Amino acid sequence: MSPAFDAVDVICTKRDRHELSDDQIRWVIDAYTHGAVADEQMSSLAMAILLNGMTRREISTWTAAMIASGERMDFSSLSRPTADKHSTGGVGDKITLPLAPLVAVFGVAVPQLSGRGLGHTGGTLDKLESIAGWDCNLSNEAMLAQLDEVGAVICAAGSGLAPADKKLYALRDVTGTVEAIPLIASSIMSKKIAEGTGALVLDVKVGTGAFMKTLENARELARTMVDLGTDAGVKTVALLTDMNTPLGLTAGNALEVRESVEVLAGGGPADVVELTVRLAHEMLDTAGRGGQDVAAALTDGRAMDAWRAMITAQGGDPDAPLPTARHTEVVRAGADGTLTRLDAYAVGVAAWRLGAGRARKEDPVQAGAGIELHAKPGDVVRAGEPLMTLHSDTPERFARALDALAGGWHIGTESGSAATPLIMDRIA
Ligand code: URA
């Protein structure tokens, strides 16, 4: 049987700024997944989409076609409603760790399918793997059982969810087409819709350490994803949050687990607590369980109990000491003044170079590597005081990490740097 469409015609339709028909989209996604459309043809189409955009209908059909390329999970047998959170990725973004058990305390199940870090942003699975014994690979049955018993799961997505996205994302990564808003939105939402959550809260990061550098682009991405979720019957809201400076005081796998445990024990940095509590409120509201005193569960031990149960259920030992790096190097303030800027991208790249992240997806990460911050923008510092401590098992990495940090912070006499609010907008 001859194919229904020709890949070159589909590419030329988008190249010439016309809309793709639903049938063209369904065909090209299916044919690409099965190898009938070649990588070079799909990369040309992805570039045409990056340059010429897509309408809401095209994005919606594209997303549905990627969902249809694989399996869909079904949580309808659970006795609790489900809510998930997705962050578009940032530096020091460990929020999933305290958030999932916190939301579970209030009777909402959190099926958090997570990924690994690539480049300067960290990955939730890499962070949790610094806990002795913890295993990210669960069968669908084990995931359902844990959601019923514990209420929260953080695990790796199985290979059956949206396989078209896996192939396309790898291609975009090497063809300069990651940044297309229709492709980012359909990539994220195809996985979240296929996962089967009832409610979804998106944390769209804005700033130097994020995919979206401007508020305008972040709003467009958030609006596109919220519309896709809503059209698919998933109650979806998005927060736009600041990623010009790292979240909290740590970037790196075990360092971030330690900070998350501090938050679960009722302490931790104010920005991490603020965002965790706000996202928990959004998830509970969206799942129909709003009006709860969320912050109390962090201080009275309930969220910590849920964390311990979640880690133990996946073979982890919540009491095992976390790994620490073999070497440290302290970076000190060169002058008296106020820290007016501490750039998220610079800190992310430095943590990655210290061994916390990977350059290729098969590379190992160092559990103890990363950066501990001793000051944040707005803090007064004195010459000679520690600004940050670098951690690594391989001290030859310190020089390249320091190169990444050069120019990444500023100490001045002005005091207005802390003006950007953490939560910049909400889109529903
Ligand atoms: N995360 C995804 O899953 N897909 C993208 O395209 C970008 C970020």
Side-chain angles (χ1 to χ4, degrees), residues 85-93 120-123 127 188 203-212 241-243 247:
K85 186 265 314 188
H86 179 83
S87 158
T88 56
V91 179
D93 183 3
H120 75 279
T121 60
K127 295 171 197 182
I188 292 172
D203 181 2
V204 178
K205 301 287 185 200
V206 192
T208 61
F211 266 127
M212 297 292 124
T241 70
D242 181 54
M243 189 33 71
L247 253 182

Side-chain angles (χ1 to χ4, degrees), residues 107-142:
V108 171
V110 185
Q112 184 80 53
L113 299 180
S114 297
R116 297 187 183 281
L118 191 63
H120 75 279
T121 60
T124 300
L125 301 182
D126 294 328
K127 295 171 197 182
L128 285 169
E129 279 177 352
S130 56
I131 300 174
W134 186 84
D135 184 4
C136 69
N137 294 308
L138 294 187
S139 65
N140 288 357
E141 295 70 39

Side-chain angles (χ1 to χ4, degrees), residues 27 58 72 78 104 109 111 156 160 231 277 279 288-289 301 306 365 404 414 424:
W27 175 79
E58 286 176 292
R72 288 187 79 147
L78 291 178
D231 288 352
V277 169
L279 285 166
R289 296 279 173 98
V365 294
E414 62 276 33
M424 302 162 93

Side-chain angles (χ1 to χ4, degrees), residues 383-412:
E385 273 179 8
L387 275 187
M388 55 188 102
T389 304
L390 315 187
H391 297 246
S392 184
D393 291 336
T394 34
E396 59 275 16
R397 291 173 179 261
F398 286 135
R400 290 204 67 228
L402 290 167
D403 284 349
L405 286 166
W409 76 85
H410 178 72
I411 297 171

Side-chain angles (χ1 to χ4, degrees), residues 57-229:
R57 178 197 55 79
E58 286 176 292
I59 301 173
S60 169
T61 306
W62 186 277
T63 307
M66 294 220 291
I67 295 168
S69 72
E71 65 186 33
R72 288 187 79 147
M73 296 187 72
D74 181 6
F75 298 127
S76 58
S77 62
L78 291 178
S79 53
R80 327 171 182 216
T82 48
D84 195 2
K85 186 265 314 188
H86 179 83
S87 158
T88 56
V91 179
D93 183 3
K94 70 276 297 171
I95 301 292
T96 295
L97 277 58
L99 180 64
L102 176 60
V103 169
V105 165
F106 298 97
V108 171
V110 185
Q112 184 80 53
L113 299 180
S114 297
R116 297 187 183 281
L118 191 63
H120 75 279
T121 60
T124 300
L125 301 182
D126 294 328
K127 295 171 197 182
L128 285 169
E129 279 177 352
S130 56
I131 300 174
W134 186 84
D135 184 4
C136 69
N137 294 308
L138 294 187
S139 65
N140 288 357
E141 295 70 39
M143 184 179 179
L144 271 174
Q146 188 173 326
L147 281 173
D148 237 346
E149 283 154 29
V150 178
V153 172
I154 302 175
C155 64
S159 56
L161 279 190
D165 176 63
K166 274 202 182 65
K167 211 173 158 190
L168 180 55
Y169 189 72
L171 184 73
R172 288 166 55 213
D173 208 20
V174 293
T175 56
T177 51
V178 167
E179 287 80 1
I181 287 178
L183 297 180
I184 298 177
S186 54
S187 166
I188 292 172
M189 294 305 292
S190 61
K191 286 171 286 198
K192 289 292 157 183
I193 296 167
E195 169 200 286
T197 184
L200 176 64
V201 177
L202 298 161
D203 181 2
V204 178
K205 301 287 185 200
V206 192
T208 61
F211 266 127
M212 297 292 124
K213 309 291 179 204
T214 67
L215 203 47
E216 193 192 349
N217 283 347
R219 277 209 184 96
E220 188 186 335
L221 176 62
R223 177 82 269 151
T224 308
M225 292 196 291
V226 169
D227 288 346
L228 282 173

